[in-house]
PDB file of all heavy atoms in Angstrom:
ATOM      1  N   ARG A 448     162.642 121.733-222.647  1.00 97.00           N
ATOM      2  CA  ARG A 448     163.083 120.823-223.700  1.00 97.00           C
ATOM      3  C   ARG A 448     161.912 120.451-224.624  1.00 97.00           C
ATOM      4  O   ARG A 448     162.055 120.387-225.848  1.00 97.00           O
ATOM      5  CB  ARG A 448     163.670 119.560-223.060  1.00 97.00           C
ATOM      6  CG  ARG A 448     164.714 118.867-223.871  1.00 97.00           C
ATOM      7  CD  ARG A 448     165.570 117.934-223.047  1.00 97.00           C
ATOM      8  NE  ARG A 448     164.839 116.904-222.333  1.00 97.00           N
ATOM      9  CZ  ARG A 448     164.597 116.916-221.014  1.00 97.00           C
ATOM     10  NH1 ARG A 448     165.061 117.904-220.276  1.00 97.00           N
ATOM     11  NH2 ARG A 448     163.933 115.940-220.444  1.00 97.00           N
ATOM     12  N   ARG A 449     160.780 120.248-224.047  1.00 97.00           N
ATOM     13  CA  ARG A 449     159.569 119.936-224.832  1.00 97.00           C
ATOM     14  C   ARG A 449     159.208 121.108-225.739  1.00 97.00           C
ATOM     15  O   ARG A 449     158.873 120.924-226.919  1.00 97.00           O
ATOM     16  CB  ARG A 449     158.410 119.622-223.879  1.00 97.00           C
ATOM     17  CG  ARG A 449     157.166 119.028-224.524  1.00 97.00           C
ATOM     18  CD  ARG A 449     156.128 118.803-223.421  1.00 97.00           C
ATOM     19  NE  ARG A 449     155.040 117.960-223.839  1.00 97.00           N
ATOM     20  CZ  ARG A 449     153.909 118.374-224.414  1.00 97.00           C
ATOM     21  NH1 ARG A 449     153.761 119.670-224.679  1.00 97.00           N
ATOM     22  NH2 ARG A 449     152.947 117.525-224.748  1.00 97.00           N
ATOM     23  N   ALA A 450     159.255 122.311-225.196  1.00 97.00           N
ATOM     24  CA  ALA A 450     158.934 123.504-225.982  1.00 97.00           C
ATOM     25  C   ALA A 450     159.917 123.682-227.138  1.00 97.00           C
ATOM     26  O   ALA A 450     159.540 124.118-228.230  1.00 97.00           O
ATOM     27  CB  ALA A 450     158.936 124.740-225.085  1.00 97.00           C
ATOM     28  N   GLU A 451     161.189 123.343-226.916  1.00 97.00           N
ATOM     29  CA  GLU A 451     162.192 123.445-227.974  1.00 97.00           C
ATOM     30  C   GLU A 451     161.901 122.447-229.097  1.00 97.00           C
ATOM     31  O   GLU A 451     162.068 122.754-230.284  1.00 97.00           O
ATOM     32  CB  GLU A 451     163.589 123.204-227.395  1.00 97.00           C
ATOM     33  CG  GLU A 451     164.712 123.144-228.411  1.00 97.00           C
ATOM     34  CD  GLU A 451     164.875 124.415-229.235  1.00 97.00           C
ATOM     35  OE1 GLU A 451     164.358 125.483-228.825  1.00 97.00           O
ATOM     36  OE2 GLU A 451     165.525 124.340-230.296  1.00 97.00           O
ATOM     37  N   ILE A 452     161.440 121.251-228.736  1.00 97.00           N
ATOM     38  CA  ILE A 452     161.074 120.268-229.756  1.00 97.00           C
ATOM     39  C   ILE A 452     159.906 120.785-230.590  1.00 97.00           C
ATOM     40  O   ILE A 452     159.927 120.717-231.827  1.00 97.00           O
ATOM     41  CB  ILE A 452     160.720 118.914-229.099  1.00 97.00           C
ATOM     42  CG1 ILE A 452     161.957 118.293-228.456  1.00 97.00           C
ATOM     43  CG2 ILE A 452     160.123 117.949-230.132  1.00 97.00           C
ATOM     44  CD1 ILE A 452     161.669 117.042-227.642  1.00 97.00           C
ATOM     45  N   VAL A 453     158.896 121.320-229.927  1.00 97.00           N
ATOM     46  CA  VAL A 453     157.732 121.855-230.643  1.00 97.00           C
ATOM     47  C   VAL A 453     158.147 122.998-231.565  1.00 97.00           C
ATOM     48  O   VAL A 453     157.683 123.093-232.709  1.00 97.00           O
ATOM     49  CB  VAL A 453     156.650 122.330-229.638  1.00 97.00           C
ATOM     50  CG1 VAL A 453     155.526 123.075-230.359  1.00 97.00           C
ATOM     51  CG2 VAL A 453     156.087 121.146-228.864  1.00 97.00           C
ATOM     52  N   ARG A 454     159.036 123.862-231.081  1.00 97.00           N
ATOM     53  CA  ARG A 454     159.498 124.981-231.911  1.00 97.00           C
ATOM     54  C   ARG A 454     160.185 124.459-233.173  1.00 97.00           C
ATOM     55  O   ARG A 454     159.924 124.927-234.286  1.00 97.00           O
ATOM     56  CB  ARG A 454     160.459 125.861-231.105  1.00 97.00           C
ATOM     57  CG  ARG A 454     160.897 127.124-231.839  1.00 97.00           C
ATOM     58  CD  ARG A 454     162.082 127.790-231.157  1.00 97.00           C
ATOM     59  NE  ARG A 454     163.297 126.988-231.234  1.00 97.00           N
ATOM     60  CZ  ARG A 454     164.045 126.872-232.330  1.00 97.00           C
ATOM     61  NH1 ARG A 454     163.701 127.507-233.455  1.00 97.00           N
ATOM     62  NH2 ARG A 454     165.130 126.123-232.316  1.00 97.00           N
ATOM     63  N   GLN A 455     161.051 123.469-233.009  1.00 97.00           N
ATOM     64  CA  GLN A 455     161.747 122.909-234.169  1.00 97.00           C
ATOM     65  C   GLN A 455     160.781 122.161-235.096  1.00 97.00           C
ATOM     66  O   GLN A 455     160.920 122.205-236.314  1.00 97.00           O
ATOM     67  CB  GLN A 455     162.870 121.978-233.712  1.00 97.00           C
ATOM     68  CG  GLN A 455     164.024 122.690-233.012  1.00 97.00           C
ATOM     69  CD  GLN A 455     165.186 121.751-232.716  1.00 97.00           C
ATOM     70  OE1 GLN A 455     165.558 120.923-233.541  1.00 97.00           O
ATOM     71  NE2 GLN A 455     165.766 121.892-231.528  1.00 97.00           N
ATOM     72  N   PHE A 456     159.812 121.459-234.502  1.00 96.00           N
ATOM     73  CA  PHE A 456     158.783 120.791-235.313  1.00 96.00           C
ATOM     74  C   PHE A 456     158.099 121.794-236.234  1.00 96.00           C
ATOM     75  O   PHE A 456     157.981 121.594-237.447  1.00 96.00           O
ATOM     76  CB  PHE A 456     157.725 120.156-234.406  1.00 96.00           C
ATOM     77  CG  PHE A 456     158.056 118.776-233.916  1.00 96.00           C
ATOM     78  CD1 PHE A 456     157.181 118.114-233.076  1.00 96.00           C
ATOM     79  CD2 PHE A 456     159.223 118.139-234.289  1.00 96.00           C
ATOM     80  CE1 PHE A 456     157.463 116.838-232.622  1.00 96.00           C
ATOM     81  CE2 PHE A 456     159.520 116.858-233.828  1.00 96.00           C
ATOM     82  CZ  PHE A 456     158.635 116.209-232.987  1.00 96.00           C
ATOM     83  N   ASP A 457     157.605 122.859-235.613  1.00 95.00           N
ATOM     84  CA  ASP A 457     156.830 123.847-236.372  1.00 95.00           C
ATOM     85  C   ASP A 457     157.680 124.491-237.469  1.00 95.00           C
ATOM     86  O   ASP A 457     157.207 124.702-238.596  1.00 95.00           O
ATOM     87  CB  ASP A 457     156.280 124.919-235.426  1.00 95.00           C
ATOM     88  CG  ASP A 457     155.214 124.365-234.486  1.00 95.00           C
ATOM     89  OD1 ASP A 457     154.675 123.276-234.777  1.00 95.00           O
ATOM     90  OD2 ASP A 457     154.925 125.019-233.466  1.00 95.00           O
ATOM     91  N   ALA A 458     158.933 124.806-237.143  1.00 95.00           N
ATOM     92  CA  ALA A 458     159.813 125.446-238.130  1.00 95.00           C
ATOM     93  C   ALA A 458     160.110 124.497-239.293  1.00 95.00           C
ATOM     94  O   ALA A 458     160.047 124.891-240.465  1.00 95.00           O
ATOM     95  CB  ALA A 458     161.110 125.888-237.456  1.00 95.00           C
ATOM     96  N   MET A 459     160.417 123.237-238.981  1.00 94.00           N
ATOM     97  CA  MET A 459     160.741 122.267-240.026  1.00 94.00           C
ATOM     98  C   MET A 459     159.526 121.976-240.899  1.00 94.00           C
ATOM     99  O   MET A 459     159.623 121.936-242.137  1.00 94.00           O
ATOM    100  CB  MET A 459     161.251 120.972-239.387  1.00 94.00           C
ATOM    101  CG  MET A 459     161.709 119.920-240.383  1.00 94.00           C
ATOM    102  SD  MET A 459     163.274 120.340-241.168  1.00 94.00           S
ATOM    103  CE  MET A 459     164.419 120.010-239.810  1.00 94.00           C
ATOM    104  N   ALA A 460     158.363 121.787-240.271  1.00 94.00           N
ATOM    105  CA  ALA A 460     157.150 121.476-241.030  1.00 94.00           C
ATOM    106  C   ALA A 460     156.743 122.652-241.915  1.00 94.00           C
ATOM    107  O   ALA A 460     156.315 122.471-243.061  1.00 94.00           O
ATOM    108  CB  ALA A 460     156.014 121.113-240.072  1.00 94.00           C
ATOM    109  N   ALA A 461     156.891 123.874-241.390  1.00 92.00           N
ATOM    110  CA  ALA A 461     156.500 125.060-242.153  1.00 92.00           C
ATOM    111  C   ALA A 461     157.346 125.221-243.412  1.00 92.00           C
ATOM    112  O   ALA A 461     156.853 125.688-244.449  1.00 92.00           O
ATOM    113  CB  ALA A 461     156.616 126.303-241.272  1.00 92.00           C
ATOM    114  N   GLN A 462     158.594 124.823-243.356  1.00 93.00           N
ATOM    115  CA  GLN A 462     159.471 124.928-244.536  1.00 93.00           C
ATOM    116  C   GLN A 462     158.937 124.119-245.711  1.00 93.00           C
ATOM    117  O   GLN A 462     159.182 124.439-246.867  1.00 93.00           O
ATOM    118  CB  GLN A 462     160.876 124.421-244.190  1.00 93.00           C
ATOM    119  CG  GLN A 462     161.686 125.347-243.310  1.00 93.00           C
ATOM    120  CD  GLN A 462     163.054 124.756-242.997  1.00 93.00           C
ATOM    121  OE1 GLN A 462     163.552 123.907-243.736  1.00 93.00           O
ATOM    122  NE2 GLN A 462     163.655 125.201-241.902  1.00 93.00           N
ATOM    123  N   HIS A 463     158.197 123.043-245.402  1.00 91.00           N
ATOM    124  CA  HIS A 463     157.715 122.143-246.450  1.00 91.00           C
ATOM    125  C   HIS A 463     156.197 122.205-246.604  1.00 91.00           C
ATOM    126  O   HIS A 463     155.600 121.356-247.278  1.00 91.00           O
ATOM    127  CB  HIS A 463     158.148 120.708-246.134  1.00 91.00           C
ATOM    128  CG  HIS A 463     159.635 120.537-246.088  1.00 91.00           C
ATOM    129  ND1 HIS A 463     160.378 120.799-244.948  1.00 91.00           N
ATOM    130  CD2 HIS A 463     160.538 120.163-247.054  1.00 91.00           C
ATOM    131  CE1 HIS A 463     161.649 120.573-245.202  1.00 91.00           C
ATOM    132  NE2 HIS A 463     161.782 120.196-246.460  1.00 91.00           N
ATOM    133  N   GLY A 464     155.547 123.203-245.977  1.00 92.00           N
ATOM    134  CA  GLY A 464     154.103 123.352-246.097  1.00 92.00           C
ATOM    135  C   GLY A 464     153.330 122.209-245.490  1.00 92.00           C
ATOM    136  O   GLY A 464     152.251 121.841-245.974  1.00 92.00           O
ATOM    137  N   MET A 465     153.834 121.632-244.420  1.00 95.00           N
ATOM    138  CA  MET A 465     153.194 120.485-243.782  1.00 95.00           C
ATOM    139  C   MET A 465     152.979 120.772-242.302  1.00 95.00           C
ATOM    140  O   MET A 465     153.353 121.824-241.793  1.00 95.00           O
ATOM    141  CB  MET A 465     154.066 119.229-243.947  1.00 95.00           C
ATOM    142  CG  MET A 465     154.347 118.849-245.387  1.00 95.00           C
ATOM    143  SD  MET A 465     155.492 117.455-245.496  1.00 95.00           S
ATOM    144  CE  MET A 465     155.764 117.402-247.279  1.00 95.00           C
ATOM    145  N   LYS A 466     152.381 119.793-241.610  1.00 94.00           N
ATOM    146  CA  LYS A 466     152.193 119.928-240.163  1.00 94.00           C
ATOM    147  C   LYS A 466     152.429 118.569-239.513  1.00 94.00           C
ATOM    148  O   LYS A 466     152.026 117.527-240.056  1.00 94.00           O
ATOM    149  CB  LYS A 466     150.793 120.451-239.822  1.00 94.00           C
ATOM    150  CG  LYS A 466     149.653 119.600-240.341  1.00 94.00           C
ATOM    151  CD  LYS A 466     148.316 120.227-239.995  1.00 94.00           C
ATOM    152  CE  LYS A 466     147.154 119.377-240.543  1.00 94.00           C
ATOM    153  NZ  LYS A 466     145.847 119.970-240.246  1.00 94.00           N
ATOM    154  N   PRO A 467     153.115 118.558-238.345  1.00 93.00           N
ATOM    155  CA  PRO A 467     153.362 117.277-237.667  1.00 93.00           C
ATOM    156  C   PRO A 467     152.089 116.770-237.005  1.00 93.00           C
ATOM    157  O   PRO A 467     151.225 117.554-236.594  1.00 93.00           O
ATOM    158  CB  PRO A 467     154.422 117.632-236.621  1.00 93.00           C
ATOM    159  CG  PRO A 467     154.221 119.095-236.365  1.00 93.00           C
ATOM    160  CD  PRO A 467     153.723 119.691-237.651  1.00 93.00           C
ATOM    161  N   ILE A 468     151.952 115.462-236.904  1.00 93.00           N
ATOM    162  CA  ILE A 468     150.796 114.885-236.233  1.00 93.00           C
ATOM    163  C   ILE A 468     150.858 115.253-234.753  1.00 93.00           C
ATOM    164  O   ILE A 468     151.934 115.356-234.167  1.00 93.00           O
ATOM    165  CB  ILE A 468     150.776 113.356-236.421  1.00 93.00           C
ATOM    166  CG1 ILE A 468     149.399 112.798-236.061  1.00 93.00           C
ATOM    167  CG2 ILE A 468     151.863 112.671-235.601  1.00 93.00           C
ATOM    168  CD1 ILE A 468     149.156 111.426-236.628  1.00 93.00           C
ATOM    169  N   GLU A 469     149.714 115.504-234.142  1.00 93.00           N
ATOM    170  CA  GLU A 469     149.671 115.902-232.730  1.00 93.00           C
ATOM    171  C   GLU A 469     149.532 114.663-231.853  1.00 93.00           C
ATOM    172  O   GLU A 469     148.636 113.847-232.068  1.00 93.00           O
ATOM    173  CB  GLU A 469     148.501 116.861-232.483  1.00 93.00           C
ATOM    174  CG  GLU A 469     148.655 118.198-233.188  1.00 93.00           C
ATOM    175  CD  GLU A 469     147.508 119.146-232.901  1.00 93.00           C
ATOM    176  OE1 GLU A 469     146.639 118.787-232.075  1.00 93.00           O
ATOM    177  OE2 GLU A 469     147.464 120.229-233.491  1.00 93.00           O
ATOM    178  N   ASP A 470     150.435 114.525-230.903  1.00 94.00           N
ATOM    179  CA  ASP A 470     150.385 113.397-229.974  1.00 94.00           C
ATOM    180  C   ASP A 470     151.153 113.796-228.724  1.00 94.00           C
ATOM    181  O   ASP A 470     152.374 113.692-228.660  1.00 94.00           O
ATOM    182  CB  ASP A 470     150.995 112.147-230.616  1.00 94.00           C
ATOM    183  CG  ASP A 470     150.765 110.888-229.779  1.00 94.00           C
ATOM    184  OD1 ASP A 470     150.790 110.995-228.537  1.00 94.00           O
ATOM    185  OD2 ASP A 470     150.560 109.805-230.366  1.00 94.00           O
ATOM    186  N   ASP A 471     150.421 114.269-227.704  1.00 95.00           N
ATOM    187  CA  ASP A 471     151.068 114.770-226.490  1.00 95.00           C
ATOM    188  C   ASP A 471     151.845 113.680-225.761  1.00 95.00           C
ATOM    189  O   ASP A 471     152.922 113.937-225.204  1.00 95.00           O
ATOM    190  CB  ASP A 471     150.024 115.386-225.552  1.00 95.00           C
ATOM    191  CG  ASP A 471     149.555 116.750-226.026  1.00 95.00           C
ATOM    192  OD1 ASP A 471     150.268 117.362-226.838  1.00 95.00           O
ATOM    193  OD2 ASP A 471     148.474 117.196-225.595  1.00 95.00           O
ATOM    194  N   ALA A 472     151.290 112.468-225.727  1.00 94.00           N
ATOM    195  CA  ALA A 472     151.966 111.387-225.012  1.00 94.00           C
ATOM    196  C   ALA A 472     153.294 111.054-225.689  1.00 94.00           C
ATOM    197  O   ALA A 472     154.318 110.856-225.014  1.00 94.00           O
ATOM    198  CB  ALA A 472     151.073 110.149-224.960  1.00 94.00           C
ATOM    199  N   LEU A 473     153.306 110.991-227.007  1.00 96.00           N
ATOM    200  CA  LEU A 473     154.547 110.708-227.730  1.00 96.00           C
ATOM    201  C   LEU A 473     155.532 111.862-227.576  1.00 96.00           C
ATOM    202  O   LEU A 473     156.745 111.643-227.437  1.00 96.00           O
ATOM    203  CB  LEU A 473     154.247 110.455-229.209  1.00 96.00           C
ATOM    204  CG  LEU A 473     155.455 110.138-230.098  1.00 96.00           C
ATOM    205  CD1 LEU A 473     156.186 108.893-229.601  1.00 96.00           C
ATOM    206  CD2 LEU A 473     155.024 109.970-231.549  1.00 96.00           C
ATOM    207  N   LEU A 474     155.025 113.086-227.565  1.00 97.00           N
ATOM    208  CA  LEU A 474     155.902 114.249-227.383  1.00 97.00           C
ATOM    209  C   LEU A 474     156.574 114.199-226.016  1.00 97.00           C
ATOM    210  O   LEU A 474     157.778 114.477-225.882  1.00 97.00           O
ATOM    211  CB  LEU A 474     155.089 115.536-227.544  1.00 97.00           C
ATOM    212  CG  LEU A 474     155.854 116.855-227.485  1.00 97.00           C
ATOM    213  CD1 LEU A 474     156.976 116.893-228.513  1.00 97.00           C
ATOM    214  CD2 LEU A 474     154.891 118.032-227.714  1.00 97.00           C
ATOM    215  N   ASP A 475     155.821 113.829-224.984  1.00 97.00           N
ATOM    216  CA  ASP A 475     156.421 113.674-223.656  1.00 97.00           C
ATOM    217  C   ASP A 475     157.481 112.573-223.656  1.00 97.00           C
ATOM    218  O   ASP A 475     158.535 112.702-223.018  1.00 97.00           O
ATOM    219  CB  ASP A 475     155.334 113.333-222.619  1.00 97.00           C
ATOM    220  CG  ASP A 475     154.499 114.537-222.228  1.00 97.00           C
ATOM    221  OD1 ASP A 475     154.938 115.672-222.480  1.00 97.00           O
ATOM    222  OD2 ASP A 475     153.406 114.336-221.672  1.00 97.00           O
TER     223      ASP A 475
END
Side-chain angles (χ1 to χ4, degrees):
R448 208 161 57 255
R449 191 181 194 271
E451 174 60 18
I452 293 173
V453 172
R454 185 193 67 76
Q455 292 186 42
F456 274 179
D457 292 343
M459 184 73 74
Q462 287 179 23
H463 298 85
M465 301 175 187
K466 58 182 179 181
I468 195 161
E469 294 182 5
D470 189 324
D471 285 341
L473 180 59
L474 184 56
D475 284 343

